[in-house]
Amino acid sequence: MSAPVVLVDMDGPLADFDLHFWLRCQEAGYGFDVGHVNDQRHRYFTDHLTDPAEKRAARAMVDAPGWFESLPVVAGAVDGVHAMIAAGWEVWVCTKPLEANPTCRDAKAAWLAEHFGKGFDRRLIITPDKSLVRGDVLLDDAPKPEWFARASWRPVIFDAPFNRDGSEWGHLDRWTWGQPLAQLIPTEGAKP
Ligand SMILES: [Mg+2]
């Protein structure tokens, strides 16, 4: 049996985009309609900003060079990715570009090398349509349901406050760092 191929989304499972967004907006004094970062119900945290001018300013912050370079690593992600590699899995990072940010692509590659090790930037696949990328599993906090029909991978939701029950991802399998790898890709003879 060939090694499982796991495609890992970047913003969400690896880079803590939403936490960074929340903290930078708090520093700027922007007003949210939720009281805690874990109360996020909308896919895009900007949709929790109440003032249109602050929403525009927050979008400009995300679209500016430097944003992706400064994202913190999600807790458990470095150990988790290296555990996958140690288990013999092929790990590829599969991300959609943020077209509005002019340095997004280079920044994402540099960020992976910095936090996950030299050479890991060569594991980066940037695509607007993840259904075109082959794999056994796509671990993603917000995969587009329209990808599912033609994808070779099985979607597994990386758990986040906005993608739970009641969301369009609530019915799908979910997983997060620290759970056994066998629950993400069951191996033969080993039930999760
Ligand atoms: Mg994501």
Side-chain angles (χ1 to χ4, degrees), residues 7 94 96 127-135 138 143-153:
L7 310 171
C94 194
K96 272 195 295 152
T127 173
D129 185 340
K130 298 183 187 181
S131 74
L132 295 168
V133 183
R134 190 181 67 76
L138 172 69
K144 286 185 182 289
E146 59 260 38
W147 292 336
F148 298 167
R150 71 167 175 176
S152 64
W153 37 257

PDB file of all heavy atoms in Angstrom, residues 7 94 96 127-135 138 143-153:
ATOM      1  N   LEU A   7      -3.492  16.295   2.436  1.00  0.00           N
ATOM      2  CA  LEU A   7      -3.427  17.703   2.037  1.00  0.00           C
ATOM      3  C   LEU A   7      -3.883  18.519   3.238  1.00  0.00           C
ATOM      4  O   LEU A   7      -4.987  18.308   3.743  1.00  0.00           O
ATOM      5  CB  LEU A   7      -4.345  17.972   0.841  1.00  0.00           C
ATOM      6  CG  LEU A   7      -4.192  17.021  -0.350  1.00  0.00           C
ATOM      7  CD1 LEU A   7      -5.299  17.265  -1.380  1.00  0.00           C
ATOM      8  CD2 LEU A   7      -2.817  17.198  -0.992  1.00  0.00           C
ATOM      9  N   CYS A  94      -1.953  22.713   1.153  1.00  0.00           N
ATOM     10  CA  CYS A  94      -2.818  23.056   0.023  1.00  0.00           C
ATOM     11  C   CYS A  94      -3.622  24.299   0.396  1.00  0.00           C
ATOM     12  O   CYS A  94      -4.492  24.248   1.263  1.00  0.00           O
ATOM     13  CB  CYS A  94      -3.728  21.860  -0.244  1.00  0.00           C
ATOM     14  SG  CYS A  94      -4.565  21.913  -1.807  1.00  0.00           S
ATOM     15  N   LYS A  96      -5.456  28.217  -0.760  1.00  0.00           N
ATOM     16  CA  LYS A  96      -5.965  29.160  -1.759  1.00  0.00           C
ATOM     17  C   LYS A  96      -5.224  30.478  -1.574  1.00  0.00           C
ATOM     18  O   LYS A  96      -4.992  30.905  -0.453  1.00  0.00           O
ATOM     19  CB  LYS A  96      -7.461  29.426  -1.530  1.00  0.00           C
ATOM     20  CG  LYS A  96      -8.372  28.453  -2.227  1.00  0.00           C
ATOM     21  CD  LYS A  96      -9.802  28.989  -2.254  1.00  0.00           C
ATOM     22  CE  LYS A  96     -10.353  29.094  -0.868  1.00  0.00           C
ATOM     23  NZ  LYS A  96     -11.342  30.063  -0.597  1.00  0.00           N
ATOM     24  N   THR A 127      -3.532  26.843  -4.914  1.00  0.00           N
ATOM     25  CA  THR A 127      -4.539  26.631  -5.954  1.00  0.00           C
ATOM     26  C   THR A 127      -5.864  27.271  -5.567  1.00  0.00           C
ATOM     27  O   THR A 127      -6.256  27.201  -4.395  1.00  0.00           O
ATOM     28  CB  THR A 127      -4.769  25.120  -6.195  1.00  0.00           C
ATOM     29  OG1 THR A 127      -5.870  24.957  -7.106  1.00  0.00           O
ATOM     30  CG2 THR A 127      -5.108  24.384  -4.904  1.00  0.00           C
ATOM     31  N   PRO A 128      -6.558  27.871  -6.516  1.00  0.00           N
ATOM     32  CA  PRO A 128      -7.892  28.373  -6.190  1.00  0.00           C
ATOM     33  C   PRO A 128      -8.930  27.261  -6.119  1.00  0.00           C
ATOM     34  O   PRO A 128     -10.023  27.456  -5.609  1.00  0.00           O
ATOM     35  CB  PRO A 128      -8.202  29.330  -7.350  1.00  0.00           C
ATOM     36  CG  PRO A 128      -7.337  28.889  -8.466  1.00  0.00           C
ATOM     37  CD  PRO A 128      -6.133  28.216  -7.877  1.00  0.00           C
ATOM     38  N   ASP A 129      -8.580  26.054  -6.623  1.00  0.00           N
ATOM     39  CA  ASP A 129      -9.541  24.952  -6.647  1.00  0.00           C
ATOM     40  C   ASP A 129      -8.865  23.679  -6.139  1.00  0.00           C
ATOM     41  O   ASP A 129      -8.129  23.010  -6.865  1.00  0.00           O
ATOM     42  CB  ASP A 129     -10.067  24.748  -8.076  1.00  0.00           C
ATOM     43  CG  ASP A 129     -11.162  23.699  -8.138  1.00  0.00           C
ATOM     44  OD1 ASP A 129     -11.275  22.869  -7.211  1.00  0.00           O
ATOM     45  OD2 ASP A 129     -11.909  23.706  -9.138  1.00  0.00           O
ATOM     46  N   LYS A 130      -9.137  23.323  -4.878  1.00  0.00           N
ATOM     47  CA  LYS A 130      -8.444  22.188  -4.265  1.00  0.00           C
ATOM     48  C   LYS A 130      -8.948  20.843  -4.781  1.00  0.00           C
ATOM     49  O   LYS A 130      -8.330  19.824  -4.526  1.00  0.00           O
ATOM     50  CB  LYS A 130      -8.560  22.271  -2.737  1.00  0.00           C
ATOM     51  CG  LYS A 130      -7.912  23.534  -2.161  1.00  0.00           C
ATOM     52  CD  LYS A 130      -7.953  23.575  -0.637  1.00  0.00           C
ATOM     53  CE  LYS A 130      -7.443  24.937  -0.146  1.00  0.00           C
ATOM     54  NZ  LYS A 130      -7.439  25.023   1.337  1.00  0.00           N
ATOM     55  N   SER A 131     -10.060  20.847  -5.515  1.00  0.00           N
ATOM     56  CA  SER A 131     -10.553  19.571  -6.050  1.00  0.00           C
ATOM     57  C   SER A 131      -9.620  19.028  -7.123  1.00  0.00           C
ATOM     58  O   SER A 131      -9.689  17.857  -7.482  1.00  0.00           O
ATOM     59  CB  SER A 131     -11.967  19.729  -6.619  1.00  0.00           C
ATOM     60  OG  SER A 131     -11.952  20.425  -7.843  1.00  0.00           O
ATOM     61  N   LEU A 132      -8.732  19.879  -7.649  1.00  0.00           N
ATOM     62  CA  LEU A 132      -7.808  19.443  -8.697  1.00  0.00           C
ATOM     63  C   LEU A 132      -6.574  18.747  -8.130  1.00  0.00           C
ATOM     64  O   LEU A 132      -5.803  18.151  -8.882  1.00  0.00           O
ATOM     65  CB  LEU A 132      -7.358  20.656  -9.532  1.00  0.00           C
ATOM     66  CG  LEU A 132      -8.476  21.331 -10.324  1.00  0.00           C
ATOM     67  CD1 LEU A 132      -8.019  22.667 -10.879  1.00  0.00           C
ATOM     68  CD2 LEU A 132      -8.936  20.419 -11.452  1.00  0.00           C
ATOM     69  N   VAL A 133      -6.401  18.819  -6.823  1.00  0.00           N
ATOM     70  CA  VAL A 133      -5.213  18.243  -6.199  1.00  0.00           C
ATOM     71  C   VAL A 133      -5.570  16.860  -5.636  1.00  0.00           C
ATOM     72  O   VAL A 133      -6.583  16.704  -4.957  1.00  0.00           O
ATOM     73  CB  VAL A 133      -4.692  19.159  -5.065  1.00  0.00           C
ATOM     74  CG1 VAL A 133      -3.413  18.598  -4.472  1.00  0.00           C
ATOM     75  CG2 VAL A 133      -4.464  20.577  -5.597  1.00  0.00           C
ATOM     76  N   ARG A 134      -4.724  15.870  -5.955  1.00  0.00           N
ATOM     77  CA  ARG A 134      -5.015  14.502  -5.538  1.00  0.00           C
ATOM     78  C   ARG A 134      -4.551  14.248  -4.100  1.00  0.00           C
ATOM     79  O   ARG A 134      -3.494  14.735  -3.693  1.00  0.00           O
ATOM     80  CB  ARG A 134      -4.296  13.525  -6.471  1.00  0.00           C
ATOM     81  CG  ARG A 134      -4.695  12.083  -6.305  1.00  0.00           C
ATOM     82  CD  ARG A 134      -3.916  11.208  -7.262  1.00  0.00           C
ATOM     83  NE  ARG A 134      -2.490  11.158  -6.950  1.00  0.00           N
ATOM     84  CZ  ARG A 134      -1.965  10.451  -5.947  1.00  0.00           C
ATOM     85  NH1 ARG A 134      -2.746   9.747  -5.143  1.00  0.00           N
ATOM     86  NH2 ARG A 134      -0.651  10.447  -5.745  1.00  0.00           N
ATOM     87  N   GLY A 135      -5.330  13.496  -3.359  1.00  0.00           N
ATOM     88  CA  GLY A 135      -4.920  13.140  -2.008  1.00  0.00           C
ATOM     89  C   GLY A 135      -5.930  12.194  -1.391  1.00  0.00           C
ATOM     90  O   GLY A 135      -7.000  11.950  -1.964  1.00  0.00           O
ATOM     91  N   LEU A 138      -8.312  15.819   2.685  1.00  0.00           N
ATOM     92  CA  LEU A 138      -8.047  17.257   2.783  1.00  0.00           C
ATOM     93  C   LEU A 138      -8.487  17.697   4.177  1.00  0.00           C
ATOM     94  O   LEU A 138      -9.674  17.599   4.512  1.00  0.00           O
ATOM     95  CB  LEU A 138      -8.822  18.055   1.724  1.00  0.00           C
ATOM     96  CG  LEU A 138      -8.749  19.585   1.897  1.00  0.00           C
ATOM     97  CD1 LEU A 138      -7.344  20.120   1.598  1.00  0.00           C
ATOM     98  CD2 LEU A 138      -9.782  20.303   1.016  1.00  0.00           C
ATOM     99  N   PRO A 143     -13.476  23.929   3.631  1.00  0.00           N
ATOM    100  CA  PRO A 143     -13.411  23.529   2.222  1.00  0.00           C
ATOM    101  C   PRO A 143     -14.715  23.896   1.508  1.00  0.00           C
ATOM    102  O   PRO A 143     -15.781  23.891   2.125  1.00  0.00           O
ATOM    103  CB  PRO A 143     -13.241  22.010   2.297  1.00  0.00           C
ATOM    104  CG  PRO A 143     -13.902  21.629   3.582  1.00  0.00           C
ATOM    105  CD  PRO A 143     -13.652  22.777   4.535  1.00  0.00           C
ATOM    106  N   LYS A 144     -14.606  24.207   0.233  1.00  0.00           N
ATOM    107  CA  LYS A 144     -15.814  24.557  -0.528  1.00  0.00           C
ATOM    108  C   LYS A 144     -16.582  23.282  -0.868  1.00  0.00           C
ATOM    109  O   LYS A 144     -16.034  22.377  -1.503  1.00  0.00           O
ATOM    110  CB  LYS A 144     -15.433  25.287  -1.818  1.00  0.00           C
ATOM    111  CG  LYS A 144     -14.978  26.715  -1.625  1.00  0.00           C
ATOM    112  CD  LYS A 144     -14.740  27.363  -2.980  1.00  0.00           C
ATOM    113  CE  LYS A 144     -14.237  28.785  -2.844  1.00  0.00           C
ATOM    114  NZ  LYS A 144     -15.242  29.723  -2.366  1.00  0.00           N
ATOM    115  N   PRO A 145     -17.858  23.194  -0.462  1.00  0.00           N
ATOM    116  CA  PRO A 145     -18.632  21.980  -0.756  1.00  0.00           C
ATOM    117  C   PRO A 145     -18.699  21.647  -2.254  1.00  0.00           C
ATOM    118  O   PRO A 145     -18.819  20.473  -2.620  1.00  0.00           O
ATOM    119  CB  PRO A 145     -20.015  22.311  -0.193  1.00  0.00           C
ATOM    120  CG  PRO A 145     -19.731  23.265   0.934  1.00  0.00           C
ATOM    121  CD  PRO A 145     -18.573  24.096   0.451  1.00  0.00           C
ATOM    122  N   GLU A 146     -18.586  22.651  -3.114  1.00  0.00           N
ATOM    123  CA  GLU A 146     -18.638  22.358  -4.553  1.00  0.00           C
ATOM    124  C   GLU A 146     -17.409  21.583  -5.038  1.00  0.00           C
ATOM    125  O   GLU A 146     -17.407  21.061  -6.143  1.00  0.00           O
ATOM    126  CB  GLU A 146     -18.851  23.625  -5.382  1.00  0.00           C
ATOM    127  CG  GLU A 146     -17.795  24.686  -5.224  1.00  0.00           C
ATOM    128  CD  GLU A 146     -18.233  25.796  -4.266  1.00  0.00           C
ATOM    129  OE1 GLU A 146     -18.891  25.482  -3.240  1.00  0.00           O
ATOM    130  OE2 GLU A 146     -17.916  26.970  -4.531  1.00  0.00           O
ATOM    131  N   TRP A 147     -16.364  21.518  -4.229  1.00  0.00           N
ATOM    132  CA  TRP A 147     -15.191  20.713  -4.605  1.00  0.00           C
ATOM    133  C   TRP A 147     -15.435  19.223  -4.413  1.00  0.00           C
ATOM    134  O   TRP A 147     -14.775  18.395  -5.035  1.00  0.00           O
ATOM    135  CB  TRP A 147     -13.986  21.090  -3.729  1.00  0.00           C
ATOM    136  CG  TRP A 147     -13.439  22.458  -3.942  1.00  0.00           C
ATOM    137  CD1 TRP A 147     -13.549  23.235  -5.064  1.00  0.00           C
ATOM    138  CD2 TRP A 147     -12.663  23.221  -2.993  1.00  0.00           C
ATOM    139  NE1 TRP A 147     -12.895  24.430  -4.869  1.00  0.00           N
ATOM    140  CE2 TRP A 147     -12.348  24.452  -3.613  1.00  0.00           C
ATOM    141  CE3 TRP A 147     -12.214  22.973  -1.698  1.00  0.00           C
ATOM    142  CZ2 TRP A 147     -11.601  25.439  -2.964  1.00  0.00           C
ATOM    143  CZ3 TRP A 147     -11.470  23.947  -1.052  1.00  0.00           C
ATOM    144  CH2 TRP A 147     -11.162  25.168  -1.686  1.00  0.00           C
ATOM    145  N   PHE A 148     -16.343  18.861  -3.514  1.00  0.00           N
ATOM    146  CA  PHE A 148     -16.407  17.477  -3.024  1.00  0.00           C
ATOM    147  C   PHE A 148     -16.705  16.461  -4.126  1.00  0.00           C
ATOM    148  O   PHE A 148     -16.131  15.379  -4.139  1.00  0.00           O
ATOM    149  CB  PHE A 148     -17.454  17.332  -1.907  1.00  0.00           C
ATOM    150  CG  PHE A 148     -17.169  18.151  -0.669  1.00  0.00           C
ATOM    151  CD1 PHE A 148     -18.147  18.337   0.303  1.00  0.00           C
ATOM    152  CD2 PHE A 148     -15.936  18.749  -0.468  1.00  0.00           C
ATOM    153  CE1 PHE A 148     -17.897  19.083   1.451  1.00  0.00           C
ATOM    154  CE2 PHE A 148     -15.672  19.508   0.671  1.00  0.00           C
ATOM    155  CZ  PHE A 148     -16.663  19.669   1.626  1.00  0.00           C
ATOM    156  N   ALA A 149     -17.597  16.795  -5.052  1.00  0.00           N
ATOM    157  CA  ALA A 149     -18.054  15.807  -6.030  1.00  0.00           C
ATOM    158  C   ALA A 149     -16.918  15.292  -6.898  1.00  0.00           C
ATOM    159  O   ALA A 149     -16.882  14.110  -7.240  1.00  0.00           O
ATOM    160  CB  ALA A 149     -19.158  16.402  -6.892  1.00  0.00           C
ATOM    161  N   ARG A 150     -15.985  16.152  -7.279  1.00  0.00           N
ATOM    162  CA  ARG A 150     -14.942  15.682  -8.183  1.00  0.00           C
ATOM    163  C   ARG A 150     -13.582  15.474  -7.498  1.00  0.00           C
ATOM    164  O   ARG A 150     -12.614  15.107  -8.163  1.00  0.00           O
ATOM    165  CB  ARG A 150     -14.802  16.618  -9.375  1.00  0.00           C
ATOM    166  CG  ARG A 150     -14.193  17.969  -9.080  1.00  0.00           C
ATOM    167  CD  ARG A 150     -13.825  18.636 -10.399  1.00  0.00           C
ATOM    168  NE  ARG A 150     -13.329  19.992 -10.207  1.00  0.00           N
ATOM    169  CZ  ARG A 150     -12.882  20.752 -11.187  1.00  0.00           C
ATOM    170  NH1 ARG A 150     -12.886  20.290 -12.424  1.00  0.00           N
ATOM    171  NH2 ARG A 150     -12.448  21.974 -10.955  1.00  0.00           N
ATOM    172  N   ALA A 151     -13.517  15.709  -6.203  1.00  0.00           N
ATOM    173  CA  ALA A 151     -12.241  15.539  -5.504  1.00  0.00           C
ATOM    174  C   ALA A 151     -11.929  14.068  -5.280  1.00  0.00           C
ATOM    175  O   ALA A 151     -12.840  13.257  -5.088  1.00  0.00           O
ATOM    176  CB  ALA A 151     -12.285  16.262  -4.164  1.00  0.00           C
ATOM    177  N   SER A 152     -10.632  13.711  -5.279  1.00  0.00           N
ATOM    178  CA  SER A 152     -10.234  12.341  -4.939  1.00  0.00           C
ATOM    179  C   SER A 152     -10.123  12.183  -3.431  1.00  0.00           C
ATOM    180  O   SER A 152     -10.180  11.079  -2.911  1.00  0.00           O
ATOM    181  CB  SER A 152      -8.882  12.004  -5.587  1.00  0.00           C
ATOM    182  OG  SER A 152      -7.860  12.836  -5.071  1.00  0.00           O
ATOM    183  N   TRP A 153      -9.970  13.293  -2.711  1.00  0.00           N
ATOM    184  CA  TRP A 153      -9.786  13.232  -1.263  1.00  0.00           C
ATOM    185  C   TRP A 153     -11.125  13.228  -0.522  1.00  0.00           C
ATOM    186  O   TRP A 153     -12.150  13.638  -1.065  1.00  0.00           O
ATOM    187  CB  TRP A 153      -8.944  14.413  -0.780  1.00  0.00           C
ATOM    188  CG  TRP A 153      -9.174  15.732  -1.463  1.00  0.00           C
ATOM    189  CD1 TRP A 153      -8.375  16.317  -2.414  1.00  0.00           C
ATOM    190  CD2 TRP A 153     -10.266  16.651  -1.265  1.00  0.00           C
ATOM    191  NE1 TRP A 153      -8.904  17.533  -2.815  1.00  0.00           N
ATOM    192  CE2 TRP A 153     -10.060  17.761  -2.119  1.00  0.00           C
ATOM    193  CE3 TRP A 153     -11.405  16.652  -0.451  1.00  0.00           C
ATOM    194  CZ2 TRP A 153     -10.949  18.852  -2.197  1.00  0.00           C
ATOM    195  CZ3 TRP A 153     -12.291  17.730  -0.521  1.00  0.00           C
ATOM    196  CH2 TRP A 153     -12.046  18.803  -1.382  1.00  0.00           C
TER     197      TRP A 153
END
